[in-house]
Amino acid sequence: MAGSYDWELRPTLVTGGASFIGSALVDDLVGRGATVRVVDDLSSGKLENIQHHVDEGLVEFLHDDLRRPGASQRAVEDMSVVFHLAADHGGRGYVDLHQAGCASNLALDGNVFLACNAAGVDKIVYASSGCVYPNFAQADPTQEVYLREELADEPPFDADNMYGYAKLMGELSLKAYAREWGLKSASCRYFTVYGERGKEDHAVMAMIARAFVDQSPFLVWGNGEQVRNWTYVDDIVRGTILAAEKIDDGTAVNLGTMERTRVIDAVHEVLRSTGKQLEIRFQPEMPTGPLNRVADNTRARELLGWQPEVAFVDGLHRTIDWYFAEKNPLEVRELLEQGGLIERKTAVPR
């Protein structure tokens, strides 16, 4: 199945397909003519993100939690390709402070993978994360470090909280299933994705939200020296589909720009481009995550022919324009005041 192929009428499942990244992937697949099914528990995603496709009969929607008995089997039935994006996840605050929720991804991923194997699914494409990389390699923001896939493929493992370990175990499981069972798969390590439909519990969207409501002082978690490589959602979707077409053996690829951007520089660009002059206050006591996380995307260029097409500043401006056109100031202000940057709706199976 490796290599370019026709998506027209291909039965395709997107787990977590009502979410920020998932719904963008659904848009692309529908545009390619795939027959799309979405399963989502709506703990993070919003049905409105894909409602127009559902109304037009282009997407079948299942409201279910893949941790529940039988849910994965129902979702993958008769599917050819499964894009597995569903996860218990939030932004930095959630990943640091909700270990049990993130640990449930071990069960979620295991359910989906075993159901895919039993159903004879042709390919699984797994949404992994830069959180699989060792913390010890990301501690010094003054160093120009680019994370190569091999660094997380073998011990010593030192992943980012339970979320990172769950993603790493998912990758290793898929490699074992590919090797021993012939279950074709690919893992895409997403790096700090942003863009339209993004949520305010992630850094770029939080910055935009604070500017939108003229938050003063403008709060910045940490000291602002953290280095990131924010990657625009359209580039992530394109790389994810290429991974489905070109990787069969469970190989993991970084999907991330190699632009190095400090948090404080992103803040200044948000304020500059929105015309806001707000006092900045740093919060070193808040969760910051690794201080130096930037992908090396050499493997993606070699295996997929992929590289990011949208520079951070351009994607940021697109996202700001969308946010200011779509959002309600009262609702955003309430979200910021009530801890919306750390919490998320939780749907724990009973």
Side-chain angles (χ1 to χ4, degrees):
M1 191 172 171
S4 295
Y5 58 98
D6 190 4
W7 287 95
E8 187 73 25
L9 300 181
R10 185 179 294 275
T12 305
L13 172 69
V14 182
T15 74
S19 67
F20 157 46
I21 303 175
S23 63
L25 178 59
V26 167
D27 288 344
D28 194 297
L29 290 167
V30 168
R32 294 169 186 259
T35 301
V36 179
R37 176 185 295 163
V38 167
V39 58
D40 201 306
D41 69 357
L42 301 182
S43 60
S44 177
K46 299 179 179 178
L47 185 55
E48 65 192 59
N49 289 338
I50 59 169
Q51 187 67 64
H52 56 298
H53 295 314
V54 175
D55 292 343
E56 293 170 10
L58 299 174
V59 169
E60 174 192 4
F61 176 68
L62 304 179
H63 186 191
D64 212 341
D65 186 327
L66 293 164
R67 295 168 293 188
R68 295 186 184 276
S72 294
Q73 288 81 359
R74 291 189 292 271
V76 306
E77 185 177 5
D78 298 324
M79 293 292 103
S80 171
V81 178
V82 172
F83 291 96
H84 180 37
L85 278 66
D88 192 296
H89 176 47
R92 173 48 51 183
Y94 188 83
V95 167
D96 276 12
L97 302 176
H98 295 79
Q99 299 298 296
C102 292
S104 74
N105 290 324
L106 290 161
L108 190 160
D109 294 342
N111 287 348
V112 171
F113 298 161
L114 292 176
C116 286
N117 186 65
V121 165
D122 294 316
K123 170 74 67 68
I124 302 171
V125 182
Y126 179 48
S128 187
S129 168
C131 289
V132 302
Y133 284 98
N135 290 302
F136 63 73
Q138 306 171 71
D140 186 352
T142 67
Q143 294 184 345
E144 189 169 316
V145 175
Y146 298 92
L147 300 169
R148 293 183 63 88
E149 286 88 350
E150 305 89 87
L151 187 61
D153 287 345
E154 297 179 353
F157 299 125
D158 182 26
D160 185 354
N161 287 292
M162 278 304 304
Y163 181 76
Y165 272 105
K167 288 298 184 183
L168 181 59
M169 292 306 103
E171 287 189 17
L172 295 177
S173 297
L174 284 177
K175 285 183 180 178
Y177 296 161
R179 183 173 59 250
E180 299 178 25
W181 296 348
L183 181 60
K184 295 178 181 179
S185 63
S187 291
C188 299
R189 294 175 181 168
Y190 295 165
F191 277 76
T192 47
V193 189
Y194 73 98
E196 297 87 344
R197 301 180 193 154
K199 294 185 63 185
E200 292 85 355
D201 60 355
H202 286 70
V204 167
M205 305 309 294
M207 297 174 195
I208 296 172
R210 296 185 198 283
F212 181 59
V213 299
D214 297 300
Q215 184 188 71
S216 189
F218 185 105
L219 302 178
V220 177
W221 290 8
N223 62 7
E225 296 299 316
Q226 310 96 291
V227 178
R228 293 291 184 266
N229 62 330
W230 287 292
T231 309
Y232 189 59
V233 64
D234 288 2
D235 284 327
I236 293 291
V237 166
R238 183 167 47 84
T240 301
I241 291 177
L242 284 169
E245 296 177 349
K246 297 189 176 185
I247 297 176
D248 283 345
D249 62 357
T251 293
V253 291
N254 289 337
L255 295 184
T257 176
M258 293 178 66
E259 286 186 89
R260 302 178 59 82
T261 306
R262 294 186 308 161
V263 166
I264 187 58
D265 293 332
V267 168
H268 286 315
E269 181 57 29
V270 167
L271 294 177
R272 188 201 65 77
S273 62
T274 57
K276 303 299 177 71
Q277 295 182 347
L278 302 170
E279 174 195 353
I280 295 173
R281 178 179 296 173
F282 296 106
Q283 294 184 296
E285 74 281 4
M286 297 301 288
T288 60
L291 300 180
N292 189 2
R293 176 174 289 169
V294 180
D296 183 315
N297 59 34
T298 302
R299 184 183 288 181
R301 293 199 306 270
E302 293 175 347
L303 295 184
L304 307 180
W306 175 92
Q307 59 183 0
E309 295 179 348
V310 181
F312 174 61
V313 68
D314 296 330
L316 179 63
H317 293 167
R318 294 183 197 178
T319 307
I320 289 171
D321 290 345
W322 170 83
Y323 197 94
F324 274 58
E326 294 292 328
K327 294 291 184 171
N328 180 298
L330 294 177
E331 293 177 358
V332 172
R333 189 170 289 109
E334 182 179 7
L335 177 74
L336 295 177
E337 291 173 352
Q338 295 185 358
L341 304 190
I342 292 179
E343 302 297 333
R344 60 169 259 168
K345 292 186 292 181
T346 319
V348 178
R350 300 293 183 183

